[in-house]
C-alpha cells in the first residue's frame, strides 16, 4: 500500500525551513496540503468583550499569505486545499476518502496554548480511531525547546534575562535551517481543488491601506523573504535598528518582521542566519544583536505559555493571589477608540484602529495606561489587540499584556509608564500625534502632549475646544503635570538634564 502524507498547515505558512513539509515529501508517495480557515479562530468572538477574533487587517494579510503559499506549492507541482471549516471535520473527510487506498500519516506543527492543543488532542484521537499515523514537529521558535538548558517546562525561568544569560553561557546553538526537496510528491487522484476565500466572503470590502500606515506590505512568504533581504542587504537597516526601533513613524525604523513571524510565513531561524551571514560578510560583530534579542523575547513568551498553560489568560495572570480589576466599559471604550484626551495614548489607539498596526513603544504605553492608570482588566485590552492587530501572536500578545499589567514576569511589577514623558521623549515635536489627532495640529509643541494645560488663548488660537472637538482627559495623573513643569523649566534653562528612557514611576512614587 502506497503512503499518503497529509500536511495540515497552521502557523507555518511557508516552504523554507519547514520540517513538517520536508518530512512529508521525503517519506510519502503522495502528499496533500491543507489549510483551514477555522471559524473558531476567524469569526468566533473573543472570550471577553465579544470582538471578532480575526478582524479585517489580519484576515487580509492571512488571505494574501495563503494565496502566496498556494502559488508556491503549484510551482512545485502540487497545491493547497483551503477550507472554511474545522481541521477535525476536514481531516475526517479526507481520512474517510483515502484510508482504504493509502497508508496515511497526518503531519502538523505543534502549538502551546489550550485552544490549539485541544484541537491537536482531537486529531490524535482521530488517528487512533482510524488506525493511521501522526507526525508532529516543533517549528514555532528560534531555539528548539529540546535544546534549552532545562529538564522540563516547569524549570523554565520566569525572567527573560535569566534565559538569555543561560543560552549565552552554555553556548546553546540555533538549529540549522531545514532544506526542502527540489521536487514535491504529487497529489493523489480524486482531489477537488478549493478556492482561497476572499475578504468579501467574510463581509469585508477589499480594504485599502491607510495613507498614514507604516505597514504597507502584502502577506505571504514571498513578500516576507523579499522584505528580509531588502532590510538587511539592500538597505543595511540592520545597522541602525537599535537607534531607530522606538520611532513611532516611518516604515523602516523597525524591522516589521512580526506579521510574517506571527503566521509562520517567515521563519525566525531564517532571520537569525541571514543576520549572521550579514555580520560575517560585512565583518561587523553583533550588528544584529538587538534584532536577535527581540526574537528571543518571542521565544520567551512561547516557553512561558508552555510552563503556565491557561494561567496566561487569568485576570490575576501568573500571580497566585487574586487581583482586583475594574470592568468599566465607558473608559475602556474611550481608550479603545482613541478618545481619552491624552494625545499620546489617543494617537496610538487611532493608529491601530485605522491600520491594524502599532509600534512596540506605543503598545507598552497604551497597555500601561489602561491597566495602571485606569485600573481596567488587562484582558479587555488583550482581546482588542487579538482582534485588531495584523501581527497578533497569542503568546506574545498575552505575555506582554500580563507583563505590563504587573501580573506576569516583570520582576518590577509596579512599573508604570509615564505616558506624557514618553510622548515628549519619543514624539517631542508632536509629528506622530498630529498625524492621528489632526484636531491638535495647530497646538504648539509645548502643549502637544498636555492640551489640558494650555492657556485659553493658546487653545483658541489652535481652534481647539476641549470637550467639543477634542476630549477632556478622562484622568489626570499628578506625575504628568509635574513632567510638563519639569520639561518647561529645563527648556527655559536650556539644560535638559532628564535622561531619555527614564519613563517609569512606581506606586511608592520612587523614581528609578
Amino acid at each position: 500500500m502506497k503512503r499518503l502524507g497529509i500536511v495540515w498547515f497552521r502557523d507555518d505558512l511557508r516552504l523554507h525551513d519547514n520540517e513538517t513539509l520536508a518530512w512529508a515529501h521525503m517519506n510519502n508517495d503522495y502528499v496533500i496540503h491543507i489549510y483551514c480557515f477555522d471559524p473558531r479562530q476567524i469569526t468566533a468572538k473573543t472570550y471577553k468583550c465579544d470582538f471578532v477574533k480575526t478582524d479585517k487587517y489580519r484576515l487580509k494579510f492571512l488571505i494574501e499569505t495563503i494565496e502566496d503559499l498556494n502559488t508556491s506549492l503549484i510551482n512545485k507541482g502540487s497545491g493547497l486545499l483551503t477550507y472554511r471549516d474545522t481541521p477535525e471535520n476536514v481531516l475526517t473527510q479526507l481520512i474517510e476518502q483515502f484510508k482504504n487506498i493509502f497508508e496515511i500519516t497526518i503531519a502538523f506543527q505543534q502549538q502551546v496554548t489550550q485552544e490549539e492543543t485541544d484541537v491537536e488532542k482531537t486529531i490524535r484521537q482521530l488517528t487512533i480511531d482510524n488506525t493511521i499515523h501522526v507526525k508532529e514537529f516543533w517549528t514555532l521558535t528560534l531555539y528548539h525547546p529540546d535544546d534549552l538548558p532545562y529538564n522540563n517546562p516547569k524549570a523554565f525561568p520566569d525572567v527573560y534575562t535569566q534565559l538569555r544569560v543561560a543560552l549565552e553561557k552554555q553556548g546553546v546553538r540555533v538549529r540549522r535551517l531545514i532544506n526542502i526537496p527540489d521536487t514535491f510528491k504529487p497529489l493523489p487522484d480524486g482531489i477537488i481543488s478549493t478556492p482561497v476565500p476572499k475578504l468579501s466572503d467574510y463581509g469585508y470590502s477589499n480594504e485599502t491601506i491607510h495613507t498614514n500606515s507604516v505597514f504597507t506590505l502584502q502577506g505571504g512568504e514571498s513578500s516576507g523573504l523579499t522584505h528580509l533581504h531588502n532590510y538587511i542587504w539592500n538597505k543595511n537597516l540592520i545597522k541602525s535598528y537599535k537607534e531607530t526601533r522606538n520611532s513611532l513613524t516611518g516604515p523602516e525604523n523597525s524591522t516589521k518582521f512580526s506579521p510574517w513571524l506571527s503566521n509562520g510565513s517567515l521563519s525566525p531561524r531564517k532571520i537569525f542566519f541571514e543576520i549572521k551571514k550579514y555580520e560575517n560578510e560585512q565583518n561587523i560583530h553583533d550588528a544584529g544583536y538587538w534584532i536577535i534579542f527581540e526574537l528571543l523575547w518571542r521565544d520567551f513568551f512561547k516557553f512561558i505559555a508552555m510552563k503556565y498553560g491557561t494561567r496566561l489568560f487569568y485576570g490575576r495572570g501568573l500571580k497566585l493571589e487574586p487581583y482586583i480589576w475594574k470592568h468599566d466599559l465607558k473608559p475602556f471604550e474611550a481608550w479603545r477608540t482613541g478618545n481619552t484626551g491624552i494625545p499620546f495614548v489617543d494617537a496610538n489607539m487611532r493608529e491601530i484602529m485605522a491600520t491594524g498596526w502599532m509600534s512596540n513603544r506605543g503598545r507598552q504605553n497604551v497597555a500601561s495606561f489602561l491597566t495602571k492608570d485606569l485600573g481596567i482588566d488587562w484582558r479587555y485590552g488583550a482581546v482588542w489587540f487579538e482582534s485588531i492587530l495584523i501581527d497578533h501572536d497569542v503568546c506574545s500578545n498575552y505575555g506582554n499584556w500580563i507583563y505590563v499589567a504587573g501580573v506576569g514576569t516583570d520582576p518590577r511589577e509596579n512599573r508604570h509608564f509615564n505616558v506624557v514623558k514618553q510622548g515628549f521623549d519619543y514624539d517631542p515635536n508632536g509629528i506622530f500625534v498630529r498625524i492621528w489627532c489632526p484636531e491638535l495640529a495647530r497646538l504648539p509643541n509645548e502643549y502637544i502632549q498636555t492640551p489640558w494645560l494650555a492657556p485659553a488663548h493658546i487653545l483658541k488660537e489652535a481652534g481647539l475646544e476641549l470637550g467639543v472637538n477634542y476630549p477632556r482627559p478622562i484622568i489626570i495623573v499628578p506625575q504628568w503635570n509635574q513632567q510638563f513643569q519639569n520639561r518647561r523649566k529645563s527648556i527655559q534653562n536650556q539644560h535638559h538634564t532628564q535622561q531619555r528612557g527614564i519613563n517609569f514611576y512606581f506606586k511608592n512614587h520612587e523614581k528609578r
Side-chain angles (χ1 to χ4, degrees):
M1 185 177 285
K2 289 186 177 293
R3 292 169 295 179
L4 170 66
I6 302 177
V7 175
W8 166 32
F9 278 101
R10 304 181 81 189
D11 289 333
D12 53 350
L13 303 177
R14 62 182 185 267
L15 269 59
H16 75 273
D17 193 33
N18 192 324
E19 189 174 3
T20 310
L21 194 62
W23 179 90
H25 284 278
M26 290 189 292
N27 292 277
N28 293 280
D29 301 294
Y30 299 91
V31 175
I32 297 171
H33 312 98
I34 70 167
Y35 182 79
C36 298
F37 288 83
D38 190 336
R40 295 167 300 190
Q41 299 300 325
I42 304 292
T43 56
K45 298 300 178 66
T46 56
Y47 77 120
K48 298 283 183 183
C49 302
D50 283 338
F51 300 126
V52 65
K53 273 200 170 182
T54 303
D55 210 332
K56 55 190 175 183
Y57 304 116
R58 188 162 74 258
L59 184 57
K60 176 179 182 290
F61 193 83
L62 175 60
I63 289 172
E64 292 167 350
T65 299
I66 294 301
E67 290 172 337
D68 181 73
L69 180 60
N70 184 40
T71 299
S72 297
L73 290 168
I74 289 172
N75 291 339
K76 288 281 192 179
S78 185
L80 179 67
L81 304 181
T82 59
Y83 304 89
R84 294 175 64 186
D85 201 351
T86 67
E88 299 95 309
N89 289 342
V90 171
L91 289 169
T92 296
Q93 294 166 15
L94 290 172
I95 290 168
E96 190 62 31
Q97 181 178 356
F98 292 110
K99 67 180 181 181
N100 296 322
I101 305 172
F102 299 109
E103 180 182 343
I104 299 175
T105 301
I106 297 174
F108 62 83
Q109 175 199 57
Q110 292 177 317
Q111 296 197 10
V112 295
T113 42
Q114 185 173 1
E115 289 182 0
E116 291 74 18
T117 57
D118 282 351
V119 176
E120 293 173 15
K121 291 176 184 176
T122 305
I123 299 305
R124 292 188 197 104
Q125 188 60 50
L126 181 63
T127 63
I128 293 170
D129 294 343
N130 288 275
T131 321
I132 63 174
H133 309 294
V134 64
K135 192 77 173 174
E136 303 175 35
F137 299 89
W138 182 268
T139 60
L140 278 172
T141 52
L142 180 62
Y143 288 93
H144 197 286
D146 290 348
D147 299 336
L148 298 178
Y150 310 102
N151 294 328
N152 60 72
K154 299 303 179 186
F156 186 79
D158 288 344
V159 178
Y160 168 83
T161 303
Q162 293 174 1
L163 170 66
R164 180 180 57 79
V165 171
L167 292 173
E168 291 174 356
K169 279 188 175 180
Q170 300 194 30
V172 179
R173 293 183 176 273
V174 175
R175 293 188 181 187
R176 64 178 179 81
L177 295 173
I178 298 296
N179 294 320
I180 299 299
D182 293 332
T183 57
F184 276 17
K185 298 298 171 63
L187 292 163
D189 293 335
I191 289 295
I192 300 173
S193 63
T194 57
V196 177
K198 298 179 174 60
L199 268 179
S200 58
D201 294 328
Y202 291 95
Y204 297 116
S205 60
N206 288 324
E207 291 296 320
T208 56
I209 297 173
H210 195 283
T211 53
N212 291 324
S213 177
V214 297
F215 188 86
T216 59
L217 300 173
Q218 282 196 324
E221 176 185 22
S222 301
S223 175
L225 290 173
T226 298
H227 176 57
L228 174 64
H229 184 81
N230 287 339
Y231 186 90
I232 292 179
W233 296 101
N234 292 348
K235 299 180 180 180
N236 289 299
L237 293 171
I238 188 173
K239 293 180 179 179
S240 58
Y241 171 76
K242 183 181 178 182
E243 288 71 37
T244 64
R245 60 181 176 157
N246 282 313
S247 175
L248 303 165
T249 58
E252 296 178 343
N253 287 326
S254 64
T255 67
K256 307 295 190 296
F257 295 153
S258 57
W260 291 280
L261 284 167
S262 67
N263 67 23
S265 48
L266 193 56
S267 159
R269 296 193 300 206
K270 175 66 175 176
I271 297 172
F272 176 87
F273 284 112
E274 205 67 20
I275 288 171
K276 291 302 176 184
K277 181 181 178 183
Y278 177 90
E279 289 176 345
N280 289 334
E281 292 191 9
Q282 300 294 317
N283 196 28
I284 305 174
H285 180 64
D286 280 346
Y289 176 86
W290 290 103
I291 298 175
I292 296 170
F293 184 92
E294 297 298 340
L295 289 176
L296 186 56
W297 265 110
R298 181 176 175 274
D299 278 16
F300 175 75
F301 286 126
K302 289 279 191 292
F303 298 138
I304 284 291
M306 289 177 67
K307 178 176 181 177
Y308 286 105
T310 55
R311 286 173 62 183
L312 196 67
F313 308 98
Y314 292 179
R316 68 173 186 265
L318 308 185
K319 306 301 180 184
L320 296 177
E321 65 279 3
Y323 202 103
I324 306 302
W325 294 107
K326 297 176 184 176
H327 300 93
D328 190 340
L329 291 180
K330 186 176 180 180
F332 172 72
E333 277 299 297
W335 174 85
R336 188 180 72 86
T337 58
N339 286 290
T340 68
I342 294 88
F344 193 61
V345 173
D346 290 346
N348 277 288
M349 296 309 297
R350 293 181 189 187
E351 179 186 33
I352 196 176
M353 178 78 83
T355 69
W357 178 266
M358 187 191 294
S359 68
N360 184 58
R361 177 62 48 185
R363 297 180 201 198
Q364 293 179 76
N365 274 273
V366 301
S368 178
F369 176 79
L370 183 71
T371 59
K372 297 297 181 65
D373 293 319
L374 297 181
I376 291 176
D377 191 336
W378 67 269
R379 292 171 296 179
Y380 285 21
V383 294
W384 175 237
F385 275 25
E386 177 178 358
S387 176
I388 201 74
L389 276 175
I390 197 171
D391 63 347
H392 176 258
D393 173 299
V394 61
C395 298
S396 294
N397 182 42
Y398 282 85
N400 271 301
W401 269 97
I402 62 173
Y403 186 94
V404 174
V407 293
T409 59
D410 187 352
R412 294 184 290 179
E413 64 182 50
N414 291 338
R415 188 195 307 262
H416 220 126
F417 277 80
N418 185 328
V419 294
V420 167
K421 184 179 190 305
Q422 290 264 304
F424 279 127
D425 277 353
Y426 294 99
D427 190 31
N429 296 317
I431 295 172
F432 177 71
V433 164
R434 288 185 176 93
I435 288 173
W436 296 108
C437 302
E439 60 268 49
L440 304 178
R442 293 162 56 194
L443 201 62
N445 290 346
E446 181 180 3
Y447 299 102
I448 193 66
Q449 305 295 344
T450 55
W452 62 90
L453 294 178
H457 72 279
I458 295 291
L459 293 175
K460 184 176 181 180
E461 290 172 4
L464 192 62
E465 187 174 354
L466 297 183
V468 177
N469 58 353
Y470 185 71
R472 296 183 183 277
I474 62 174
I475 186 175
I476 296 177
V477 175
Q479 287 88 344
W480 298 349
N481 291 357
Q482 185 61 50
Q483 175 61 39
F484 172 83
Q485 296 300 334
N486 292 345
R487 181 179 176 82
R488 170 179 270 187
K489 288 177 183 177
S490 66
I491 292 174
Q492 289 173 346
N493 296 333
Q494 296 296 309
H495 184 60
H496 187 50
T497 58
Q498 282 188 291
Q499 181 184 349
R500 189 173 189 261
I502 303 299
N503 307 296
F504 310 115
Y505 46 89
F506 294 81
K507 286 182 179 177
N508 61 3
H509 297 164
E510 271 185 41
K511 292 186 178 180
R512 301 184 184 179

